[in-house]
Amino acid sequence: MIRFFSLFVLMSLFGCSKSTTTLPEPYCKLDKVLPFDPQGWYGNKKPMKQLICENDVKVVIEVGSWLGASTRHIAKYVPKDGKVYAVDHWLGSVEHQGGDKLASLYDQFLSNVIHKKLTHKIIPIRMASVEAEKVLSNVVPDLIYIDASHETEAVYQDLAIWYPHVKGHGILCGDDWPWPSVQVAVERFAAENQLTIESEGAFWRLKEAR
């Protein structure tokens, strides 16, 4: 049975204060809604739409969200009662350090979701991947999408901690296949777990033997 992570628990974690807005937590804590910013690196619209629609995907965990281009696209295709848990510390990866967006990254993500009226579907989890996995231990996702760090060991760690959430029933896939560091991690994990790899452009998916 699919179980959604309790919004009550999330509120206790993040401490949503009283607000005159009707937006759910944590969007109600945003002091100012920023202008929409579409910036992002998301080229997997076709395979992700296909996976979501053909497999009746309702619950998604996305590891690495940046400003939410992929998050919003995923949320668009899950059903009205579906949920997308967006896991990110919103501090930027190694290659982003020094960028001018970092100071307002999280606020911009929240603002972008508000602009697209997807606050009822997208639940931000502002934590590092390994911490978020523990917080979401009771969530049973249909699909996990990995798009965080490009460093080999970090990618491998994400695969190792999140794969058990979909093993035997769900979909594990991700972005950035052209990066050699990502390929090394995915190939190593696949070999260790008797999984096959499907890739197309930047998109990759791990499949269990039937």
Side-chain angles (χ1 to χ4, degrees):
M1 179 182 294
I2 294 174
R3 293 168 289 175
F4 293 148
F5 194 64
S6 170
L7 289 178
F8 176 80
V9 176
L10 284 174
M11 289 177 71
S12 67
L13 284 172
F14 295 102
C16 182
S17 59
K18 291 183 178 180
S19 173
T20 58
T21 182
T22 58
L23 295 175
E25 201 281 336
Y27 303 96
C28 62
K29 295 175 66 178
L30 189 62
D31 292 331
K32 178 183 178 181
V33 177
L34 303 175
F36 183 73
D37 184 348
Q39 190 271 335
W41 306 271
Y42 181 56
N44 297 323
K45 290 183 177 181
K46 182 179 177 181
M48 286 300 291
K49 177 183 177 182
Q50 185 174 355
L51 278 179
I52 293 168
C53 295
E54 291 183 356
N55 294 278
D56 192 29
V57 170
K58 295 180 180 178
V59 180
V60 177
I61 295 175
E62 177 187 52
V63 184
S65 298
W66 191 244
L67 296 184
S70 55
T71 323
R72 299 188 305 273
H73 178 261
I74 293 168
K76 179 181 177 180
Y77 290 103
V78 298
K80 290 182 179 180
D81 61 344
K83 292 290 181 282
V84 181
Y85 296 91
V87 174
D88 203 310
H89 46 46
W90 280 282
L91 299 174
S93 298
V94 173
E95 66 268 22
H96 301 139
Q97 299 310 304
D100 58 2
K101 289 182 178 291
L102 293 185
S104 61
L105 200 60
Y106 183 57
D107 287 355
Q108 187 65 66
F109 173 88
L110 297 179
S111 297
N112 286 348
V113 175
I114 292 170
H115 281 294
K116 294 300 180 180
K117 297 180 171 54
L118 291 168
T119 58
H120 62 296
K121 289 185 177 182
I122 297 174
I123 302 175
I125 307 295
R126 195 180 187 183
M127 298 178 181
S129 179
V130 65
E131 297 169 344
E133 187 275 330
K134 297 174 183 176
V135 170
L136 297 177
S137 60
N138 290 326
V139 172
V140 181
D142 302 301
L143 184 150
I144 294 177
Y145 182 68
I146 306 291
D147 186 20
S149 172
H150 300 113
E151 296 181 321
T152 297
E153 288 306 314
V155 176
Y156 181 86
Q157 181 185 54
D158 283 339
L159 292 169
I161 66 174
W162 290 106
Y163 175 54
H165 289 253
V166 290
K167 184 177 181 180
H169 77 273
I171 298 167
L172 179 62
C173 58
D175 191 24
D176 302 311
W177 183 250
W179 285 66
S181 54
V182 173
Q183 289 188 26
V184 169
V186 174
E187 289 172 349
R188 173 185 163 197
F189 187 80
E192 292 174 353
N193 292 275
Q194 295 77 53
L195 304 172
T196 58
I197 304 170
E198 293 182 352
S199 64
E200 178 183 353
F203 182 78
W204 56 266
R205 177 186 179 184
L206 292 178
K207 298 188 73 172
E208 298 179 61
R210 296 296 181 181

